Amino acid sequence: MASLAEIRARLQAADSNKGGQSTGGGDKSIYPHWNMEEGKEAVLRFLPDGNTKNTFFWAERAMIRLPFNGVKGEMDSKQVMVQVPCVEMWGDACPILAEVRTWFKDKSLEDMGRKYWKKRSYIFQGFVRENPLSEDKTPENPIRRFIIGPQIFTTIKGALMDPELEELPTDYLRGLDFRVSKGAKGGFADYNGSKWARKESALTEAEQAAVDTHGLFDLSTFLPKKPNDVELKVIKEMFEASVDGQPYDTERWGQYFRPAGVQAPAGGSTPAMTVDGHGDVHETAPAKVVAAPVSDFDDEDAPAPTAPVAKPAATGKAEDILAMIRARQQK
């Protein structure tokens, strides 16, 4: 388990690096804090990652959403969404972001850039000490997983850099609770009222027994599989088709990546990756899921937009936008 000093050093190094660059469905172990009513509060107690090689007590995930105008060959098909992993999670160059980054140089394409920019979330684990969700039932293993968005994560990370914090919040004896408070702002959920408890507390006997009995999750096992070269090519093809306004083609991509609920193509031999509303990864299409709200655009490391170009896009059609972008890249 990493020390508080090691976590602070890693966080500070990450912030410094950013400043210098321009650049299943019914899983009850996931606690759906987003289902709280406005004005309610849940009290969580985070635990360390079962993967002792992880400095942090969370795992970061970056996904890209690719919207499609329905499914090819299906009548009255509604828009579907395919989520694919951004390989920047593994330190590699992402073929989608390599193109999308250039869009922020053009004010008229900024909204398009936000649409296809990576969406980050953070996977934690721990106990729910106070639960305002009357319909939520504690599973046999009371160690739950938490899908935390950038807004709440900023609060979590900020407190860790406070020099007055002496122990890790995950310490079994002197740890801290975290209060997730749900409000509203501009018609959207707002979690800015969330905060760490001021008073330290130890795990209860029941909580300690649960850790001893069930063990801790290795949070990396809930991240998507790193795409291979073939899958990266498929991701790029899907991205281009999405921008061009095409429908999702199950025969073409279904054995690699599928929207939740879409069946595999006949004769397919490769398990496809689907990502349900919770953000959990499945090798087959999940059953009915309760979708977690996707976080707003996370611009922590997005390129800063520049002033509008003298000659903005003329038509607004997806194919014209993509052609214009690529033509400018070749200049």
Side-chain angles (χ1 to χ4, degrees):
M1 184 188 306
S3 67
L4 183 57
E6 289 173 319
I7 288 179
R8 284 172 174 163
R10 285 284 299 274
L11 289 174
Q12 190 170 15
D15 288 340
S16 297
N17 290 336
K18 288 171 186 172
Q21 297 176 352
S22 61
T23 60
D27 189 349
K28 297 300 183 182
S29 67
I30 298 172
Y31 179 68
H33 66 272
W34 50 84
N35 286 340
M36 290 192 300
E37 296 179 1
E38 292 178 13
K40 297 295 185 178
E41 183 179 81
V43 178
L44 314 180
R45 179 57 175 270
F46 296 131
L47 292 170
D49 189 353
N51 178 5
T52 57
K53 295 180 180 179
N54 184 10
T55 302
F56 306 121
F57 52 94
W58 61 83
E60 179 178 331
R61 181 181 55 212
M63 304 294 290
I64 295 175
R65 292 180 294 166
L66 303 177
F68 289 91
N69 291 325
V71 178
K72 184 178 179 179
E74 294 187 5
M75 299 295 293
D76 301 323
S77 180
K78 298 180 180 179
Q79 185 184 72
V80 296
M81 189 77 66
V82 178
Q83 293 196 70
V84 297
C86 174
V87 293
E88 288 190 355
M89 275 191 287
W90 297 277
D92 294 343
C94 175
I96 294 179
L97 295 193
E99 190 151 12
V100 172
R101 278 191 171 91
T102 67
W103 298 2
F104 288 87
K105 299 177 182 179
D106 185 336
K107 187 67 175 178
S108 66
L109 297 176
E110 184 179 339
D111 287 344
M112 198 76 162
R114 291 172 178 267
K115 180 179 180 180
Y116 287 98
W117 192 254
K118 62 184 177 183
K119 306 298 187 292
R120 279 189 290 197
S121 59
Y122 304 84
I123 307 172
F124 291 74
Q125 66 182 314
F127 297 108
V128 181
R129 287 188 152 179
E130 293 183 19
N131 187 359
L133 298 175
S134 58
E135 73 278 11
D136 180 68
K137 295 182 179 180
T138 303
E140 179 181 355
N141 179 359
I143 299 176
R144 312 291 291 272
R145 296 202 309 279
F146 310 111
I147 310 299
I148 301 297
Q151 186 182 54
I152 299 177
F153 181 74
T154 298
T155 300
I156 293 173
K157 186 177 76 170
L160 293 175
M161 302 303 292
D162 186 343
E164 294 186 0
L165 185 66
E166 297 180 350
E167 295 288 344
L168 275 170
T170 56
D171 187 87
Y172 289 177
L173 297 178
R174 298 181 59 189
L176 296 173
D177 291 343
F178 187 77
R179 297 181 175 274
V180 178
S181 180
K182 184 177 181 180
K185 185 176 181 180
F188 296 94
D190 180 75
Y191 296 97
N192 278 320
S194 302
K195 60 186 178 181
W196 289 101
R198 293 177 178 270
K199 187 177 180 180
E200 298 175 348
S201 62
L203 295 185
T204 66
E205 290 185 6
E207 290 170 339
Q208 183 63 64
V211 173
D212 295 339
T213 300
H214 300 284
L216 298 171
F217 293 115
D218 177 349
L219 298 178
S220 68
T221 62
F222 301 105
L223 297 176
K225 178 179 69 72
K226 182 179 178 179
N228 58 32
D229 290 342
V230 173
E231 290 164 338
L232 280 176
K233 182 180 179 181
V234 170
I235 286 173
K236 195 168 191 301
E237 287 179 358
M238 290 196 302
F239 163 65
E240 293 173 354
S242 173
V243 175
D244 287 343
Q246 298 178 21
Y248 174 80
D249 191 333
T250 305
E251 293 298 323
R252 188 176 172 188
W253 308 308
Q255 64 176 316
Y256 299 101
F257 303 94
R258 298 197 302 275
V262 173
Q263 299 299 314
S269 59
T270 304
M273 189 190 81
T274 61
V275 182
D276 67 20
H278 303 299
D280 266 17
V281 179
H282 304 264
E283 286 192 340
T284 57
K288 181 180 179 181
V289 298
V290 180
V294 179
S295 61
D296 294 333
F297 176 69
D298 179 13
D299 60 358
E300 183 176 341
D301 59 357
T306 58
V309 294
K311 188 178 181 181
T315 66
K317 292 183 179 179
E319 59 268 26
D320 293 337
I321 292 174
L322 191 57
M324 183 189 72
I325 292 167
R326 289 173 176 163
R328 187 176 61 235
Q329 284 180 315
Q330 296 173 0
K331 291 180 181 179

